[in-house]
Coordinates of all heavy atoms in Angstrom, one line a residue:
M1 N -26.6 -9.4 -15.9 CA -25.4 -8.7 -15.8 C -25.2 -7.8 -17.0 O -25.5 -8.1 -18.1 CB -24.3 -9.7 -15.7 CG -23.0 -8.9 -15.5 SD -21.5 -9.9 -15.2 CE -21.8 -11.5 -15.9
C2 N -24.9 -6.5 -16.7 CA -24.6 -5.6 -17.7 C -23.0 -5.4 -17.8 O -22.5 -4.9 -16.8 CB -25.4 -4.3 -17.5 SG -25.1 -3.0 -18.6
L3 N -22.4 -5.5 -19.0 CA -21.0 -5.3 -19.1 C -20.9 -4.1 -20.0 O -21.5 -4.0 -21.1 CB -20.4 -6.5 -19.7 CG -20.2 -7.8 -18.9 CD1 -19.7 -8.9 -19.7 CD2 -19.5 -7.5 -17.6
G4 N -19.9 -3.3 -19.7 CA -19.5 -2.1 -20.6 C -18.6 -2.7 -21.7 O -17.7 -3.5 -21.4
I5 N -18.9 -2.3 -23.0 CA -18.2 -2.8 -24.1 C -17.5 -1.6 -24.8 O -18.1 -0.6 -25.1 CB -19.1 -3.4 -25.1 CG1 -19.9 -4.5 -24.5 CG2 -18.3 -3.9 -26.3 CD1 -19.2 -5.8 -24.1
P6 N -16.2 -1.6 -25.0 CA -15.5 -0.5 -25.6 C -16.0 -0.5 -27.1 O -16.0 -1.5 -27.8 CB -14.0 -0.9 -25.5 CG -13.9 -1.8 -24.4 CD -15.2 -2.6 -24.4
A7 N -16.2 0.7 -27.6 CA -16.6 0.9 -28.9 C -15.9 2.1 -29.5 O -15.8 3.2 -28.8 CB -18.1 1.1 -29.1
R8 N -15.3 2.1 -30.8 CA -14.6 3.2 -31.3 C -15.5 3.9 -32.3 O -16.2 3.2 -33.1 CB -13.4 2.7 -32.0 CG -12.6 3.7 -32.7 CD -11.2 3.3 -33.0 NE -10.3 4.0 -32.2 CZ -9.0 3.7 -32.0 NH1 -8.6 2.5 -32.5 NH2 -8.2 4.4 -31.2
V9 N -15.6 5.2 -32.2 CA -16.4 6.1 -33.0 C -15.9 6.0 -34.4 O -14.8 6.3 -34.7 CB -16.5 7.5 -32.5 CG1 -17.2 8.4 -33.4 CG2 -17.0 7.5 -31.0
V10 N -16.8 5.7 -35.3 CA -16.5 5.8 -36.8 C -17.0 7.1 -37.3 O -16.4 7.7 -38.1 CB -17.2 4.5 -37.5 CG1 -17.1 4.6 -39.0 CG2 -16.7 3.2 -36.9
E11 N -18.3 7.4 -36.9 CA -18.9 8.7 -37.4 C -19.9 9.1 -36.3 O -20.5 8.4 -35.7 CB -19.7 8.3 -38.7 CG -20.5 9.4 -39.3 CD -21.3 9.0 -40.6 OE1 -21.5 7.8 -40.7 OE2 -21.6 9.9 -41.3
S12 N -19.8 10.4 -36.1 CA -20.6 11.0 -35.0 C -21.6 12.0 -35.4 O -21.2 13.0 -36.2 CB -19.6 11.6 -33.9 OG -20.4 12.2 -32.8
G13 N -22.8 12.0 -34.9 CA -23.8 13.0 -35.2 C -24.0 13.7 -33.8 O -23.2 13.6 -33.0
E14 N -25.0 14.5 -33.8 CA -25.3 15.3 -32.6 C -25.8 14.5 -31.5 O -25.4 14.7 -30.4 CB -26.3 16.4 -33.0 CG -26.6 17.3 -31.8 CD -27.6 18.5 -32.2 OE1 -27.9 18.6 -33.3 OE2 -28.0 19.2 -31.3
H15 N -26.6 13.4 -31.7 CA -27.1 12.6 -30.6 C -26.7 11.2 -30.7 O -26.8 10.5 -29.7 CB -28.6 12.7 -30.7 CG -29.2 14.0 -30.6 ND1 -29.2 14.8 -29.5 CD2 -29.8 14.9 -31.5 CE1 -29.8 16.0 -29.6 NE2 -30.1 16.0 -30.9
F16 N -26.3 10.7 -31.8 CA -25.9 9.3 -31.9 C -24.5 9.2 -32.8 O -24.2 10.1 -33.5 CB -26.9 8.5 -32.7 CG -28.2 8.4 -31.9 CD1 -29.2 9.2 -32.0 CD2 -28.3 7.3 -31.0 CE1 -30.4 9.1 -31.2 CE2 -29.5 7.1 -30.3 CZ -30.5 8.0 -30.3
A17 N -23.9 8.1 -32.5 CA -22.7 7.8 -33.2 C -22.7 6.4 -33.8 O -23.4 5.5 -33.2 CB -21.4 8.0 -32.3
R18 N -22.1 6.3 -34.9 CA -21.9 4.9 -35.5 C -20.6 4.5 -35.0 O -19.5 5.1 -35.1 CB -21.9 4.9 -37.0 CG -21.8 3.5 -37.7 CD -22.2 3.6 -39.2 NE -21.4 4.6 -39.9 CZ -20.3 4.3 -40.5 NH1 -19.8 3.0 -40.5 NH2 -19.5 5.1 -41.2
C19 N -20.5 3.3 -34.3 CA -19.3 2.8 -33.7 C -19.0 1.4 -34.1 O -19.9 0.6 -34.4 CB -19.4 2.9 -32.1 SG -19.6 4.5 -31.5
A20 N -17.7 1.0 -34.0 CA -17.2 -0.4 -34.3 C -16.8 -0.9 -32.9 O -16.1 -0.2 -32.1 CB -16.1 -0.3 -35.2
S21 N -17.3 -2.1 -32.6 CA -16.9 -2.8 -31.4 C -16.7 -4.3 -31.7 O -16.8 -4.7 -32.8 CB -18.1 -2.7 -30.4 OG -19.2 -3.6 -30.7
R22 N -16.3 -5.0 -30.6 CA -16.1 -6.5 -30.8 C -17.3 -7.2 -31.2 O -17.2 -8.3 -31.7 CB -15.5 -7.0 -29.4 CG -16.5 -6.9 -28.3 CD -16.0 -7.2 -26.9 NE -15.5 -8.6 -26.8 CZ -14.3 -9.0 -26.7 NH1 -13.3 -8.1 -26.6 NH2 -14.0 -10.2 -26.5
N23 N -18.4 -6.6 -31.0 CA -19.7 -7.2 -31.5 C -20.3 -6.6 -32.8 O -21.4 -6.9 -33.1 CB -20.8 -7.0 -30.4 CG -20.4 -7.6 -29.1 OD1 -19.7 -8.6 -29.0 ND2 -20.8 -7.0 -28.0
G24 N -19.3 -6.0 -33.5 CA -19.8 -5.5 -34.8 C -20.2 -3.9 -34.7 O -19.7 -3.3 -33.7
E25 N -20.8 -3.5 -35.7 CA -21.2 -2.0 -35.7 C -22.4 -1.8 -34.8 O -23.3 -2.5 -34.7 CB -21.5 -1.6 -37.1 CG -21.6 -0.1 -37.3 CD -21.7 0.3 -38.8 OE1 -20.7 0.2 -39.5 OE2 -22.8 0.7 -39.2
L26 N -22.3 -0.6 -34.1 CA -23.3 -0.2 -33.1 C -23.8 1.2 -33.4 O -23.0 2.0 -33.8 CB -22.9 -0.3 -31.7 CG -22.2 -1.5 -31.1 CD1 -21.5 -1.2 -29.8 CD2 -23.2 -2.5 -31.0
R27 N -25.1 1.5 -33.1 CA -25.6 2.8 -33.0 C -25.6 3.2 -31.5 O -26.3 2.5 -30.7 CB -27.0 2.9 -33.6 CG -27.6 4.3 -33.6 CD -28.9 4.3 -34.4 NE -29.4 5.7 -34.5 CZ -30.5 6.2 -33.9 NH1 -31.1 5.4 -33.1 NH2 -30.8 7.4 -34.2
V28 N -24.8 4.2 -31.2 CA -24.6 4.5 -29.7 C -25.2 5.9 -29.4 O -24.9 6.9 -30.1 CB -23.1 4.5 -29.4 CG1 -22.9 4.9 -27.9 CG2 -22.6 3.1 -29.6
D29 N -26.0 6.0 -28.4 CA -26.6 7.2 -27.9 C -25.4 8.0 -27.2 O -24.7 7.5 -26.3 CB -27.7 6.8 -26.9 CG -28.4 8.1 -26.3 OD1 -27.8 9.2 -26.3 OD2 -29.5 7.9 -25.8
L30 N -25.3 9.2 -27.6 CA -24.2 10.1 -27.0 C -24.7 11.1 -26.0 O -24.0 12.0 -25.6 CB -23.6 10.9 -28.1 CG -22.9 10.1 -29.3 CD1 -22.4 11.0 -30.4 CD2 -21.8 9.3 -28.7
S31 N -25.9 11.0 -25.5 CA -26.5 11.9 -24.6 C -25.6 12.2 -23.4 O -25.6 13.4 -22.9 CB -27.9 11.5 -24.1 OG -28.8 11.3 -25.2
L32 N -24.9 11.3 -22.8 CA -24.1 11.5 -21.6 C -22.7 12.0 -21.9 O -22.1 12.5 -20.9 CB -24.1 10.2 -20.8 CG -25.4 9.7 -20.3 CD1 -25.2 8.4 -19.6 CD2 -26.1 10.8 -19.3
V33 N -22.2 11.8 -23.1 CA -20.8 12.2 -23.4 C -20.7 13.3 -24.4 O -19.6 13.8 -24.6 CB -20.0 11.0 -23.8 CG1 -20.0 10.0 -22.6 CG2 -20.5 10.3 -25.0
G34 N -21.8 13.6 -25.1 CA -21.7 14.7 -26.2 C -21.1 14.1 -27.5 O -20.7 13.0 -27.5
I35 N -21.0 15.0 -28.4 CA -20.4 14.7 -29.8 C -19.0 14.2 -29.5 O -18.2 14.9 -28.9 CB -20.5 15.8 -30.7 CG1 -22.0 16.2 -30.9 CG2 -19.9 15.5 -32.1 CD1 -22.2 17.5 -31.7
Q36 N -18.6 13.2 -30.2 CA -17.2 12.7 -30.2 C -16.6 12.6 -31.6 O -17.3 12.4 -32.6 CB -17.2 11.3 -29.6 CG -17.8 11.2 -28.1 CD -16.8 12.1 -27.2 OE1 -15.6 12.0 -27.2 NE2 -17.5 12.9 -26.4
S37 N -15.3 12.8 -31.6 CA -14.6 12.7 -32.9 C -14.4 11.3 -33.3 O -14.2 10.3 -32.4 CB -13.2 13.3 -32.7 OG -13.3 14.6 -32.4
P38 N -14.3 11.0 -34.6 CA -14.0 9.6 -35.1 C -12.7 9.2 -34.4 O -11.7 9.9 -34.4 CB -13.9 9.8 -36.6 CG -14.8 10.9 -36.9 CD -14.7 11.9 -35.7
G39 N -12.6 7.9 -34.0 CA -11.4 7.4 -33.4 C -11.5 7.4 -31.9 O -10.7 6.6 -31.2
A40 N -12.4 8.1 -31.3 CA -12.5 8.2 -29.8 C -13.1 6.8 -29.3 O -14.0 6.2 -30.0 CB -13.5 9.3 -29.4
W41 N -12.7 6.4 -28.2 CA -13.2 5.2 -27.6 C -14.3 5.5 -26.5 O -14.1 6.5 -25.8 CB -12.1 4.4 -26.8 CG -11.2 3.6 -27.7 CD1 -10.0 3.9 -28.2 CD2 -11.5 2.3 -28.2 NE1 -9.5 2.9 -29.0 CE2 -10.5 1.9 -29.1 CE3 -12.7 1.5 -28.2 CZ2 -10.5 0.7 -29.7 CZ3 -12.7 0.3 -28.9 CH2 -11.5 -0.2 -29.6
L42 N -15.4 4.8 -26.6 CA -16.4 5.0 -25.6 C -16.7 3.7 -24.9 O -16.6 2.6 -25.4 CB -17.8 5.3 -26.4 CG -17.7 6.6 -27.3 CD1 -18.9 6.7 -28.1 CD2 -17.4 7.9 -26.5
L43 N -17.1 3.8 -23.6 CA -17.5 2.6 -22.9 C -19.1 2.6 -23.0 O -19.7 3.5 -22.5 CB -17.1 2.7 -21.5 CG -17.2 1.4 -20.6 CD1 -16.5 0.3 -21.3 CD2 -16.7 1.6 -19.2
V44 N -19.6 1.6 -23.6 CA -21.0 1.5 -24.0 C -21.7 0.5 -23.1 O -21.3 -0.7 -23.1 CB -21.2 1.2 -25.5 CG1 -22.6 1.1 -25.9 CG2 -20.4 2.3 -26.3
F45 N -22.9 0.9 -22.6 CA -23.7 0.0 -21.8 C -25.1 0.1 -22.5 O -25.7 1.2 -22.5 CB -23.9 0.4 -20.4 CG -22.6 0.2 -19.5 CD1 -21.6 1.2 -19.6 CD2 -22.5 -0.8 -18.7 CE1 -20.5 1.1 -18.8 CE2 -21.4 -1.0 -17.9 CZ -20.4 -0.1 -18.0
L46 N -25.7 -1.0 -22.9 CA -27.0 -1.1 -23.4 C -27.3 0.0 -24.4 O -28.3 0.7 -24.4 CB -28.0 -1.0 -22.3 CG -28.0 -2.1 -21.2 CD1 -28.8 -1.8 -20.1 CD2 -28.3 -3.5 -21.9
G47 N -26.3 0.2 -25.4 CA -26.5 1.1 -26.5 C -26.2 2.6 -26.2 O -26.5 3.4 -27.0
A48 N -25.8 2.9 -25.0 CA -25.5 4.3 -24.6 C -24.1 4.5 -24.1 O -23.6 3.7 -23.3 CB -26.6 4.7 -23.5
A49 N -23.4 5.5 -24.6 CA -22.1 5.7 -24.1 C -22.2 6.3 -22.7 O -22.9 7.3 -22.5 CB -21.4 6.7 -25.0
R50 N -21.4 5.8 -21.8 CA -21.4 6.2 -20.4 C -20.1 7.1 -20.1 O -20.1 7.8 -19.2 CB -21.5 5.1 -19.4 CG -22.6 4.2 -19.6 CD -23.9 4.9 -19.1 NE -24.9 3.9 -18.9 CZ -26.1 4.0 -19.6 NH1 -26.3 4.9 -20.5 NH2 -27.0 3.0 -19.4
E51 N -19.1 6.8 -20.9 CA -17.8 7.4 -20.6 C -16.8 7.4 -21.8 O -16.9 6.4 -22.6 CB -17.1 6.6 -19.4 CG -15.8 7.1 -18.9 CD -15.3 6.1 -17.9 OE1 -16.0 5.2 -17.4 OE2 -14.1 6.4 -17.5
V52 N -16.1 8.4 -22.0 CA -15.0 8.4 -23.0 C -13.8 7.8 -22.4 O -13.4 8.2 -21.2 CB -14.7 9.8 -23.5 CG1 -13.6 9.9 -24.6 CG2 -16.0 10.5 -24.0
I53 N -13.2 6.9 -23.0 CA -12.0 6.1 -22.3 C -10.8 6.2 -23.3 O -10.9 6.4 -24.5 CB -12.4 4.7 -22.0 CG1 -12.7 3.9 -23.2 CG2 -13.4 4.6 -21.0 CD1 -13.0 2.4 -23.0
A54 N -9.6 6.0 -22.6 CA -8.3 6.1 -23.3 C -8.2 4.8 -24.1 O -8.7 3.8 -23.7 CB -7.2 6.3 -22.3
D55 N -7.3 4.8 -25.1 CA -7.0 3.6 -25.9 C -6.5 2.4 -25.0 O -6.9 1.3 -25.2 CB -5.8 3.9 -26.9 CG -6.2 4.8 -28.0 OD1 -7.4 5.2 -28.1 OD2 -5.3 5.3 -28.7
E56 N -5.7 2.7 -24.0 CA -5.1 1.7 -23.1 C -6.2 1.0 -22.3 O -6.2 -0.2 -22.1 CB -4.1 2.3 -22.1 CG -2.8 2.9 -22.8 CD -3.0 4.3 -23.4 OE1 -4.0 4.9 -23.0 OE2 -2.2 4.6 -24.2
R57 N -7.2 1.8 -21.8 CA -8.2 1.2 -21.0 C -9.2 0.4 -21.9 O -9.6 -0.7 -21.5 CB -9.1 2.4 -20.4 CG -10.2 1.8 -19.5 CD -10.6 2.7 -18.4 NE -11.7 2.1 -17.6 CZ -12.8 2.6 -17.3 NH1 -13.0 3.9 -17.6 NH2 -13.7 2.1 -16.6
A58 N -9.4 0.9 -23.2 CA -10.2 0.1 -24.1 C -9.5 -1.3 -24.3 O -10.2 -2.3 -24.3 CB -10.4 0.8 -25.4
A59 N -8.2 -1.3 -24.5 CA -7.4 -2.5 -24.7 C -7.6 -3.4 -23.5 O -7.8 -4.6 -23.7 CB -6.0 -2.2 -25.1
A60 N -7.4 -2.9 -22.3 CA -7.5 -3.7 -21.1 C -8.9 -4.3 -20.9 O -9.0 -5.4 -20.6 CB -7.1 -2.9 -19.9
I61 N -10.0 -3.6 -21.2 CA -11.3 -4.1 -21.1 C -11.5 -5.1 -22.1 O -12.1 -6.2 -21.8 CB -12.3 -2.9 -21.2 CG1 -12.2 -2.0 -20.0 CG2 -13.7 -3.6 -21.3 CD1 -13.0 -0.7 -20.2
N62 N -11.1 -4.9 -23.3 CA -11.3 -5.9 -24.4 C -10.5 -7.2 -24.0 O -11.0 -8.3 -24.3 CB -10.8 -5.4 -25.8 CG -12.0 -4.7 -26.4 OD1 -13.1 -5.1 -26.3 ND2 -11.6 -3.6 -27.1
A63 N -9.3 -7.1 -23.4 CA -8.5 -8.3 -23.0 C -9.3 -9.0 -21.9 O -9.4 -10.3 -21.9 CB -7.2 -7.8 -22.5
A64 N -9.9 -8.3 -21.0 CA -10.7 -9.0 -19.9 C -11.9 -9.7 -20.5 O -12.3 -10.8 -20.1 CB -11.2 -8.0 -18.8
L65 N -12.6 -9.0 -21.5 CA -13.7 -9.7 -22.2 C -13.2 -10.9 -22.9 O -13.9 -12.0 -23.0 CB -14.4 -8.7 -23.1 CG -15.1 -7.6 -22.3 CD1 -15.6 -6.5 -23.3 CD2 -16.3 -8.1 -21.5
D66 N -12.0 -10.9 -23.5 CA -11.5 -12.1 -24.2 C -11.3 -13.1 -23.2 O -11.4 -14.4 -23.6 CB -10.1 -11.7 -24.9 CG -10.3 -10.8 -26.2 OD1 -11.4 -10.8 -26.7 OD2 -9.3 -10.2 -26.6
A67 N -10.8 -12.8 -22.0 CA -10.6 -13.8 -20.9 C -11.9 -14.5 -20.5 O -12.0 -15.7 -20.3 CB -9.9 -13.1 -19.7
L68 N -13.0 -13.7 -20.5 CA -14.3 -14.3 -20.2 C -14.7 -15.3 -21.4 O -15.2 -16.4 -21.1 CB -15.4 -13.2 -20.1 CG -15.4 -12.5 -18.8 CD1 -16.4 -11.3 -18.9 CD2 -15.7 -13.3 -17.7
D69 N -14.5 -14.9 -22.6 CA -14.7 -15.8 -23.7 C -13.9 -17.1 -23.6 O -14.4 -18.2 -23.8 CB -14.4 -15.1 -25.0 CG -15.4 -14.1 -25.4 OD1 -16.6 -14.0 -24.8 OD2 -15.1 -13.3 -26.2
A70 N -12.7 -17.0 -23.3 CA -11.8 -18.1 -23.1 C -12.3 -19.0 -21.9 O -12.2 -20.2 -22.1 CB -10.3 -17.7 -22.8
A71 N -12.7 -18.4 -20.8 CA -13.2 -19.2 -19.7 C -14.4 -20.0 -20.0 O -14.6 -21.1 -19.7 CB -13.5 -18.2 -18.5
Q72 N -15.3 -19.3 -20.9 CA -16.5 -20.1 -21.3 C -16.1 -21.2 -22.2 O -16.9 -22.2 -22.3 CB -17.4 -19.1 -22.0 CG -18.1 -18.2 -21.0 CD -19.1 -17.2 -21.6 OE1 -18.9 -16.8 -22.8 NE2 -20.1 -16.9 -20.9
S73 N -15.0 -21.1 -22.9 CA -14.5 -22.2 -23.7 C -13.7 -23.3 -23.1 O -13.2 -24.2 -23.6 CB -13.7 -21.6 -24.9 OG -14.4 -20.8 -25.7
G74 N -13.5 -23.1 -21.7 CA -12.8 -24.1 -20.9 C -11.3 -23.7 -20.7 O -10.6 -24.6 -20.1
A75 N -10.8 -22.6 -21.0 CA -9.5 -22.3 -20.8 C -9.2 -22.1 -19.3 O -10.1 -21.7 -18.5 CB -9.1 -21.0 -21.5
T76 N -8.0 -22.4 -18.8 CA -7.6 -22.2 -17.4 C -6.4 -21.3 -17.2 O -6.1 -20.9 -16.1 CB -7.3 -23.5 -16.8 OG1 -6.3 -24.2 -17.5 CG2 -8.6 -24.5 -16.8
D77 N -5.7 -20.9 -18.3 CA -4.6 -20.1 -18.1 C -4.9 -18.7 -18.6 O -5.1 -18.5 -19.8 CB -3.3 -20.6 -18.9 CG -2.1 -19.7 -18.7 OD1 -2.1 -18.7 -18.0 OD2 -1.2 -19.9 -19.6
F78 N -5.0 -17.7 -17.8 CA -5.4 -16.4 -18.1 C -4.3 -15.4 -18.2 O -4.6 -14.2 -18.3 CB -6.6 -16.0 -17.3 CG -7.8 -16.9 -17.3 CD1 -8.0 -17.8 -16.3 CD2 -8.6 -16.9 -18.4 CE1 -9.1 -18.8 -16.3 CE2 -9.7 -17.8 -18.5 CZ -9.9 -18.8 -17.4
S79 N -3.1 -15.8 -18.0 CA -2.0 -14.9 -17.9 C -1.8 -14.0 -19.1 O -1.5 -12.8 -18.9 CB -0.7 -15.6 -17.5 OG -0.4 -16.5 -18.6
A80 N -2.2 -14.5 -20.3 CA -2.0 -13.7 -21.5 C -3.0 -12.5 -21.6 O -2.8 -11.6 -22.3 CB -2.2 -14.6 -22.7
F81 N -4.1 -12.6 -20.9 CA -5.2 -11.6 -20.9 C -4.9 -10.5 -20.0 O -5.6 -9.4 -20.1 CB -6.5 -12.3 -20.6 CG -6.9 -13.4 -21.6 CD1 -6.9 -14.7 -21.2 CD2 -7.2 -13.1 -22.9 CE1 -7.2 -15.7 -22.1 CE2 -7.5 -14.1 -23.9 CZ -7.5 -15.4 -23.4
F82 N -4.1 -10.6 -19.0 CA -3.9 -9.6 -17.9 C -2.4 -9.2 -17.8 O -1.9 -9.3 -16.7 CB -4.5 -10.1 -16.6 CG -6.0 -10.4 -16.7 CD1 -6.4 -11.7 -16.9 CD2 -6.9 -9.4 -16.8 CE1 -7.8 -12.0 -16.9 CE2 -8.3 -9.6 -16.9 CZ -8.7 -11.0 -17.0
A83 N -1.8 -8.8 -18.8 CA -0.4 -8.5 -18.8 C -0.1 -7.3 -17.8 O 1.0 -7.3 -17.2 CB 0.0 -8.1 -20.2
D84 N -1.1 -6.5 -17.6 CA -0.9 -5.4 -16.7 C -0.9 -5.8 -15.3 O -0.5 -5.1 -14.3 CB -2.1 -4.3 -16.9 CG -3.4 -4.9 -16.6 OD1 -3.7 -6.1 -17.0 OD2 -4.3 -4.2 -16.1
L85 N -1.2 -7.1 -14.9 CA -1.2 -7.6 -13.5 C 0.1 -8.4 -13.3 O 0.2 -9.0 -12.2 CB -2.4 -8.5 -13.3 CG -3.7 -7.8 -13.4 CD1 -4.9 -8.8 -13.1 CD2 -3.8 -6.6 -12.4
D86 N 1.0 -8.4 -14.2 CA 2.3 -9.2 -14.1 C 3.2 -8.3 -13.2 O 4.3 -7.8 -13.8 CB 2.9 -9.5 -15.5 CG 4.1 -10.4 -15.3 OD1 4.2 -11.1 -14.3 OD2 4.9 -10.4 -16.2
R87 N 2.9 -8.1 -12.0 CA 3.7 -7.3 -11.1 C 3.4 -7.7 -9.6 O 2.4 -8.4 -9.4 CB 3.5 -5.8 -11.2 CG 2.0 -5.4 -11.0 CD 1.8 -4.0 -11.2 NE 0.4 -3.6 -11.2 CZ -0.4 -3.7 -10.1 NH1 0.1 -4.0 -9.0 NH2 -1.7 -3.3 -10.3
E88 N 4.3 -7.3 -8.7 CA 4.1 -7.6 -7.3 C 3.0 -6.7 -6.8 O 3.0 -5.5 -7.0 CB 5.3 -7.4 -6.6 CG 5.3 -7.8 -5.1 CD 5.1 -9.3 -4.9 OE1 5.6 -10.1 -5.8 OE2 4.5 -9.7 -3.9
P89 N 1.9 -7.2 -6.1 CA 0.9 -6.3 -5.6 C 1.5 -5.3 -4.6 O 2.4 -5.6 -3.8 CB 0.0 -7.2 -4.9 CG 0.2 -8.6 -5.4 CD 1.6 -8.6 -5.8
Q90 N 0.9 -4.1 -4.5 CA 1.4 -3.0 -3.6 C 0.3 -2.7 -2.7 O -0.9 -2.5 -3.2 CB 1.9 -1.8 -4.4 CG 3.0 -2.1 -5.4 CD 4.3 -2.4 -4.7 OE1 4.7 -1.8 -3.7 NE2 5.0 -3.5 -5.2
L91 N 0.5 -2.4 -1.5 CA -0.4 -1.9 -0.5 C -0.8 -0.5 -0.8 O 0.2 0.3 -1.2 CB 0.1 -2.0 0.9 CG 0.0 -3.3 1.6 CD1 0.7 -3.3 2.9 CD2 -1.4 -3.9 1.8
P92 N -1.9 0.0 -0.6 CA -2.2 1.4 -0.8 C -1.4 2.2 0.2 O -1.1 1.7 1.3 CB -3.7 1.5 -0.4 CG -4.2 0.1 -0.6 CD -3.1 -0.8 -0.3
E93 N -1.1 3.4 -0.1 CA -0.2 4.3 0.8 C -0.8 4.3 2.2 O 0.0 4.2 3.1 CB -0.2 5.7 0.2 CG 0.8 6.6 0.8 CD 2.2 6.1 0.6 OE1 2.6 5.7 -0.5 OE2 3.0 6.2 1.7
F94 N -2.1 4.5 2.4 CA -2.6 4.6 3.8 C -2.4 3.4 4.6 O -2.4 3.4 5.8 CB -4.1 5.1 3.7 CG -5.0 4.0 3.4 CD1 -5.7 3.2 4.3 CD2 -5.3 3.9 2.0 CE1 -6.6 2.2 3.9 CE2 -6.2 2.8 1.6 CZ -6.9 2.1 2.6
L95 N -2.2 2.2 4.0 CA -2.0 1.0 4.7 C -0.6 0.7 5.0 O -0.2 0.0 5.9 CB -2.6 -0.2 4.0 CG -4.1 -0.3 4.0 CD1 -4.6 -1.5 3.2 CD2 -4.7 -0.4 5.4
R96 N 0.3 1.3 4.2 CA 1.8 1.1 4.4 C 2.3 1.5 5.7 O 3.1 0.8 6.4 CB 2.6 1.7 3.2 CG 2.4 1.1 1.9 CD 3.3 1.7 0.8 NE 2.7 1.4 -0.5 CZ 2.9 2.1 -1.6 NH1 3.7 3.1 -1.6 NH2 2.3 1.7 -2.7
S97 N 1.8 2.6 6.1 CA 2.2 3.2 7.4 C 1.7 2.4 8.6 O 2.4 2.3 9.6 CB 1.8 4.7 7.5 OG 0.4 4.7 7.5
Q98 N 0.6 1.7 8.5 CA 0.1 0.9 9.5 C 0.8 -0.5 9.6 O 0.7 -1.1 10.7 CB -1.4 0.6 9.3 CG -2.2 1.9 9.3 CD -3.7 1.6 9.0 OE1 -4.1 0.5 9.1 NE2 -4.4 2.7 8.7
T99 N 1.5 -0.9 8.7 CA 2.2 -2.2 8.7 C 3.7 -2.1 9.1 O 4.4 -3.0 9.3 CB 2.2 -3.0 7.4 OG1 2.7 -2.1 6.4 CG2 0.7 -3.2 7.0
S100 N 4.2 -0.9 9.2 CA 5.6 -0.7 9.5 C 5.9 -0.8 11.0 O 5.2 -0.6 11.8 CB 6.1 0.7 9.1 OG 6.0 0.9 7.7

């Protein structure tokens, strides 16, 4: 299984960036996203940036990865990791008209 890991750019060159992530410092290939400014968040798979992401998305992904770590440690309450899901589910717009 390949998981995308958020990494924050510390220093960027033309082809590679030095980034900080939950797994420590990484050398990240920028071929797919181009040169990035320090502070930018990247979604990294196998050492290559696939997407530039917003701070909020990086935080949500890191929370989900924390939940995986907690599950591996035997935790059973995951509500703290998914605060964005603390709401009533909504049907997509195209299905709402079919249920009325």
Side-chain angles (χ1 to χ4, degrees):
M1 174 173 32
C2 180
L3 294 175
I5 306 295
R8 183 165 244 161
V9 175
V10 174
E11 180 180 17
S12 183
E14 187 174 345
H15 302 288
F16 291 92
R18 185 169 55 93
C19 297
S21 78
R22 62 189 296 110
N23 300 328
E25 192 170 286
L26 305 170
R27 182 174 186 249
V28 176
D29 182 338
L30 299 175
S31 298
L32 296 175
V33 297
I35 299 171
Q36 298 298 315
S37 300
W41 280 101
L42 305 173
L43 191 56
V44 178
F45 292 82
L46 300 172
R50 303 285 197 243
E51 182 180 351
V52 179
I53 59 175
D55 294 349
E56 296 80 17
R57 183 154 180 231
I61 294 168
N62 274 321
L65 292 170
D66 289 341
L68 284 174
D69 288 342
Q72 289 179 327
S73 298
T76 57
D77 179 11
F78 302 103
S79 57
F81 301 107
F82 301 103
D84 60 324
L85 297 180
D86 188 25
R87 59 180 169 71
E88 187 67 31
Q90 300 293 315
L91 281 174
E93 188 66 43
F94 72 95
L95 289 177
R96 288 183 203 159
S97 62
Q98 295 178 15
T99 59
S100 299

